[in-house]
């Protein structure tokens, strides 16, 4: 009688992210934080610089008309909005990649896509040279960047919060927007330096291209930094009768198993999406369109207020760790509900008035930027976390954030400026109601 043949079994699959990473060299949470934040700087520089520089390069891609000089700017901001509508696709597919193959691989992909998009924008000939192909290439580049940004937020948010020590998830969450805001500040610095060095005429003629070429080169640096980060997520495993197999998530598992959490993400972010892009990118342009404010002075105001905004992120995140996420978020949404109309009415053709409005708005907005990533990560289990955050978040940002600059410009163009504040106040009120109904998540263990 032959001895029983041995049955080859697959190697055991780690049953949790902690076990799966145990074999790796222990990583420093601080190093993880730096790797994610520095890559985030590059990613969000490339994304934000488009709307900031639109006033300079819009005429190269879209011809103006004798009746309305705002046509090129409106068209360029329309492409800005189009890019946002790729973000849900990026949030879904790159989020799924992050859940299936790890956060690090997803983060590497997003920064490559963003750099390629910036390079295409910087090198595309004008409408006069290649006709309709110029706006087509601009749209394609922005779609690529939208795909990247949709995946960037969800992968970076999960990576940062999963890297956080217990009791510091809000603090670590705040650095997601520290990186994003430094990217915005870098965009302002580059544009301001080019304006100072070459002048506004050269900026409108050719120097705007340097803004995007710089971003594509910086993406290479960000990619190399992220290459040496450590993975925070491996697939969990489930046992059958005699085998241990990997529990692969399906793409839409998050909708089937966590519909309430998905709606919470929408309510949490709908006002913030519009307010964030209004305050971080568009407020100088808003001041120029409504009061004739000097754009070069507007960029200086933005630089000062963004530096302040960056400094208070860790403070707001730490407050949410100590006192809870909901109180901090209620201050954000309730404050804007009451104050956004008076703040916009106070914007005038004055350096001081614009600075005051930006500082007040950023103080309130920090309640969301510093805590939102932690809240969303705390809502989902690890195996569907990136996809569960990425898709509903990106849809919300696309609908309410991507359309904000275009919609505000459209209202101003039709002498309906008063409705800008009313629109933002209504959104803030809806978010306030949703946040009030949300459960507190700061004290719970991160779902496995």
């Amino acid at each position: 009688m032959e001895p029983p043949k041995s049955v080859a079994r697959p190697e055991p699959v780690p049953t949790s992210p902690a076990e799966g990473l145990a074999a790796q060299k222990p990583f420093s949470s601080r190093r993880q934080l730096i790797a994610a934040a520095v890559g985030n700087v590059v990613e969000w520089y490339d994304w934000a610089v488009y709307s900031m520089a639109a006033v300079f390069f819009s005429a190269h891609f879209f011809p103006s008309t004798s009746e309305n000089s705002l046509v090129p700017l409106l068209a360029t901001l329309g492409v800005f909005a189009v890019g946002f509508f790729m973000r849900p696709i990026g949030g879904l597919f790159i989020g799924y990649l992050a859940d299936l193959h790890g956060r690090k691989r997803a983060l590497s992909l997003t920064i490559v896509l963003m750099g390629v998009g910036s390079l295409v924008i910087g090198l595309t000939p004008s409408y006069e040279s290649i006709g309709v192909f110029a706006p087509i290439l601009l749209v394609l580049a922005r779609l690529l960047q939208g795909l990247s940004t949709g995946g960037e937020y969800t992968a970076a948010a999960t990576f940062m919060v999963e890297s956080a020590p217990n009791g510091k998830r809000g603090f670590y969450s705040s650095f997601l927007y520290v990186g994003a805001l430094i990217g915005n500040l870098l965009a302002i610095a580059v544009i301001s330096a080019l304006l100072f060095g070459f002048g506004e005429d050269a900026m409108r003629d050719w120097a705007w291209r340097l803004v995007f070429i710089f971003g594509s080169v910086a993406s290479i640096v960000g990619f190399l930094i992220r290459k040496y980060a450590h993975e925070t997520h491996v697939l969990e495993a489930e046992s059958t009768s005699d085998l241990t197999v990997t529990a692969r998530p399906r793409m839409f598992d998050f909708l089937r198993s966590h519909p309430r959490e998905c709606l919470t993400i929408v309510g949490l972010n709908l006002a913030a999406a519009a307010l964030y892009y209004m305050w971080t990118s568009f407020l100088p342009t808003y001041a120029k369109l409504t009061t004739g404010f000097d754009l070069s002075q507007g960029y200086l105001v933005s630089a000062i207020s963004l530096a302040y905004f960056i400094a208070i992120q860790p403070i707001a995140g730490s407050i949410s760790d100590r006192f809870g996420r909901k109180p901090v978020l209620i201050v954000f949404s309730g404050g804007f509900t009451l104050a956004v109309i008076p703040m916009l009415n106070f914007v005038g053709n004055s350096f001081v008035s614009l600075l005051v409005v930006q500082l007040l708005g950023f103080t309130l907005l920090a309640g969301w930027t510093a805590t939102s990533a932690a809240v969303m990560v705390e809502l989902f289990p690890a195996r569907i976390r990136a996809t569960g955050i990425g898709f509903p978040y990106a849809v919300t940002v696309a609908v309410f954030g991507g359309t904000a600059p275009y919609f505000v410009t459209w209202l101003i163009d039709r002498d309906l400026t008063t409705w800008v504040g009313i629109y933002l106040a209504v959104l803030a009120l809806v978010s306030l109601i949703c946040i009030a109904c949300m459960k507190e998540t700061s004290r719970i263990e991160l779902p496995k």
Side-chain angles (χ1 to χ4, degrees):
M1 181 176 180
E2 293 184 357
K5 296 181 179 179
S6 60
V7 178
R9 293 176 183 265
E11 290 294 322
V13 177
T15 58
S16 72
E19 290 182 25
L21 300 171
Q24 294 186 12
K25 180 180 177 181
F27 61 78
S28 161
S29 294
R30 183 177 298 178
R31 180 178 176 181
Q32 293 285 93
L33 190 61
I34 292 171
V38 172
N40 232 22
V41 170
V42 176
E43 181 82 13
W44 291 100
Y45 165 88
D46 283 331
W47 179 256
V49 80
Y50 181 97
S51 61
M52 294 182 187
V55 70
F56 300 113
F57 70 83
S58 57
H60 286 265
F61 293 94
F62 300 97
S64 60
T65 67
S66 57
E67 294 83 10
N68 194 336
S69 61
L70 282 179
V71 167
L73 180 58
L74 282 168
T76 306
L77 292 176
V79 177
F80 178 80
V82 166
F84 271 84
F85 284 95
M86 280 298 286
R87 290 179 66 163
I89 299 175
L92 182 63
F93 285 95
I94 298 180
Y96 184 63
L97 174 67
D99 285 334
L100 202 59
H101 298 293
R103 321 306 189 201
K104 180 180 170 180
R105 187 174 296 184
L107 286 169
S108 297
L109 176 61
T110 59
I111 204 164
V112 169
L113 292 176
M114 183 62 75
V116 171
S118 286
L119 188 63
V120 170
I121 295 173
L123 297 181
T124 296
S126 68
Y127 184 91
E128 291 183 357
S129 300
I130 60 172
V132 72
F133 290 104
I136 288 175
L137 286 172
L138 179 66
V139 170
L140 291 176
R142 200 58 182 171
L143 291 176
L144 196 63
Q145 290 188 320
L147 185 71
S148 167
T149 309
E152 168 69 19
Y153 181 88
T154 183
T158 52
F159 179 85
M160 278 189 171
V161 178
E162 287 171 350
S163 297
N166 289 333
K168 290 189 175 182
R169 293 197 298 261
F171 176 74
Y172 271 60
S173 166
S174 70
F175 281 89
L176 184 68
Y177 275 94
V178 168
L181 293 167
I182 291 176
N184 281 351
L185 195 58
L186 181 62
I188 292 171
V190 170
I191 292 173
S192 298
L194 291 173
L195 274 171
F196 180 79
F198 298 107
E200 188 168 334
D201 289 341
M203 193 68 177
R204 293 181 184 277
D205 186 24
W206 60 271
W208 64 268
R209 296 184 183 276
L210 300 178
V211 174
F212 294 98
I213 293 172
F214 172 81
S216 65
V217 174
S219 296
I220 300 173
V221 177
F223 174 82
L224 294 175
I225 290 172
R226 286 182 167 177
K227 181 179 179 181
Y228 295 101
H230 289 267
E231 183 56 69
T232 63
H233 169 71
V234 293
L235 279 177
E236 294 187 357
E238 56 187 15
S239 297
T240 62
S241 58
D242 60 349
L243 292 175
T244 300
V245 296
T246 301
R248 295 170 65 90
R250 292 173 293 179
M251 186 170 289
F252 290 98
D253 277 354
F254 67 95
L255 284 176
R256 288 184 283 266
S257 61
H258 291 74
R260 180 184 176 88
E261 287 77 6
C262 293
L263 289 175
T264 298
I265 288 178
V266 174
L268 172 65
N269 292 296
L270 61 88
L275 290 164
Y276 179 81
Y277 285 99
M278 183 73 182
W279 250 257
T280 58
S281 300
F282 194 69
L283 206 57
T285 303
Y286 173 85
K288 178 178 177 62
L289 294 176
T290 55
T291 69
F293 192 81
D294 180 18
L295 265 184
S296 62
Q297 292 291 304
Y299 290 135
L300 179 58
V301 170
S302 290
I304 295 170
S305 53
L306 280 174
Y308 163 78
F309 196 27
I310 291 167
I312 65 175
Q313 294 302 306
I315 298 172
S318 296
I319 290 172
S320 78
D321 283 329
R322 183 169 182 179
F323 298 105
R325 317 287 185 228
K326 284 185 66 174
V328 177
L329 288 167
I330 286 172
V331 169
F332 147 72
S333 54
F336 270 113
T337 300
L338 298 174
V340 68
I341 294 175
M343 282 193 290
L344 291 180
N345 288 340
F346 190 67
V347 172
N349 193 8
S350 161
F351 182 94
V352 173
S353 65
L354 183 59
L355 180 62
V356 168
V357 170
Q358 285 216 293
L359 292 177
L360 288 175
F362 280 150
T363 301
L364 295 174
L365 199 54
W368 173 78
T369 53
T371 62
S372 57
V375 172
M376 291 187 285
V377 169
E378 290 161 350
L379 291 175
F380 292 93
R383 66 185 295 271
I384 59 169
R385 182 171 291 143
T387 322
I389 296 170
F391 185 69
Y393 172 82
V395 168
T396 307
V397 172
V399 173
F400 296 99
T403 59
Y406 182 89
F407 184 57
V408 169
T409 305
W410 183 85
L411 288 174
I412 294 169
D413 189 43
R414 283 156 179 76
D415 295 324
L416 298 172
T417 306
T418 303
W419 285 93
V420 174
I422 295 172
Y423 170 69
L424 294 174
V426 170
L427 293 182
L429 178 60
V430 174
S431 282
L432 176 61
I433 294 169
C434 293
I435 290 166
C437 298
M438 183 181 77
K439 64 181 181 180
E440 179 58 61
T441 59
S442 63
R443 303 288 183 264
I444 67 172
E445 288 290 326
L446 201 61
K448 300 297 184 183

